[in-house]
Amino acid sequence: MGAMRIDLHAHSAISDGTESPTDVVLAARRAGLDVLGLTDHDTLAGLSEARDTAKAAALDLLGGLELSCHLSGIPVHLLGYGVRDEPGELADELHRIREGRIGRIAEFCARLTALGMPITEAEVSVQAAGASSIGRPHIADVMVAKGYVATRRQAFDEWLADDQPAFVPRYYCPLIQGIALIKQAGGVSVLAHAWGRGSRAVLPESVITELVQVHGLDGIEVDHQDHDEHDRTALRALADRLGVINTGSSDYHGLGKIASELGCNTTTPTAYASVLVLIGRRGGHR
Ligand code: AMP
Ligand code: ZN
Ligand code: FE
Ligand code: FE
């Protein structure tokens, strides 16, 4: 028997991935995974479909989400595993974040139009059909479809990324509150791609240490495409020193979208077992 293969961070078309929850689960099976964490941005809406498919496919599905947080105004992504899907403070916060996502689309369209790339809200909502969380990748896909750019990547690099001319911010949950909300809902919090993209600036080792020791952060995503070998080594050592979980994932968004294949990075069975123990202890959803 080969080793268990565990990928704890992936997106479906319920947020900005390109495949249905069912198709992501089936793709995970084909990729030889034993465990998949489905972590759509700011929504739990894809999990019941994914659980049903996973059961039939004999794949272990870990339900989760990727919460849009900020620290000192800088976006930081926080993975939450095993949270209960029920009315309460986390559900209210997710609603607030999703409303903020919808609210900024008109401004994106206005900016892109002013920049010579006319786009309408209607086109973006057609592109995001079925999504519970709408976002920049949907706008990027419209830009590709209209021939303004060749790929999602180019749309971000030249126009949509946080430091590019068409960028419009939105509401993000304060990070410390996000950690508390996930725990309160029975879940386990893991800093997503801690040193990827912009978040490194606000997450030096001293801050991560405080997030763990004072605010109850449970883990750090270490093996991620946004981290080079040097960062991975340092983050793994930090997680070990702090006694928290370290995870690995593909951050899959669908084939050909944000170049990563299911299972390209994985989580150890030991780390996964620790996640399950915490969820069990907190009364979260397995
Ligand atoms: P939004 O949720 O609308 O703020 O868009 C953020 C999402 O877009 C992230 O979760 C990624 O999936 C993707 N994204 C953000 N920045 C980039 C980037 N520089 N390059 C490619 N994709 C990105
Ligand atoms: Zn995404
Ligand atoms: Fe992320
Ligand atoms: Fe992600």
Side-chain angles (χ1 to χ4, degrees), residues 195 205 208-209 212 220-223 229-247:
W195 288 351
E205 295 200 5
I208 295 178
T209 300
V212 168
I220 304 169
E221 187 177 58
V222 171
D223 287 311
E229 275 313 318
H230 180 268
D231 289 350
R232 293 180 194 208
T233 302
L235 283 169
R236 195 174 293 109
L238 178 63
D240 287 350
R241 238 171 21 247
L242 296 172
V244 296
I245 296 162
N246 88 69
T247 66

Side-chain angles (χ1 to χ4, degrees), residues 174-220:
L175 180 62
I176 289 161
Q177 184 190 348
I179 294 169
L181 290 176
I182 287 168
K183 184 175 284 183
Q184 189 184 313
V188 171
S189 59
V190 174
L191 266 185
H193 45 75
W195 288 351
R197 302 212 183 108
S199 55
R200 181 174 202 140
V202 290
L203 293 173
E205 295 200 5
S206 58
V207 170
I208 295 178
T209 300
E210 186 181 322
L211 291 170
V212 168
Q213 296 180 344
V214 180
H215 302 289
L217 176 72
D218 298 305
I220 304 169

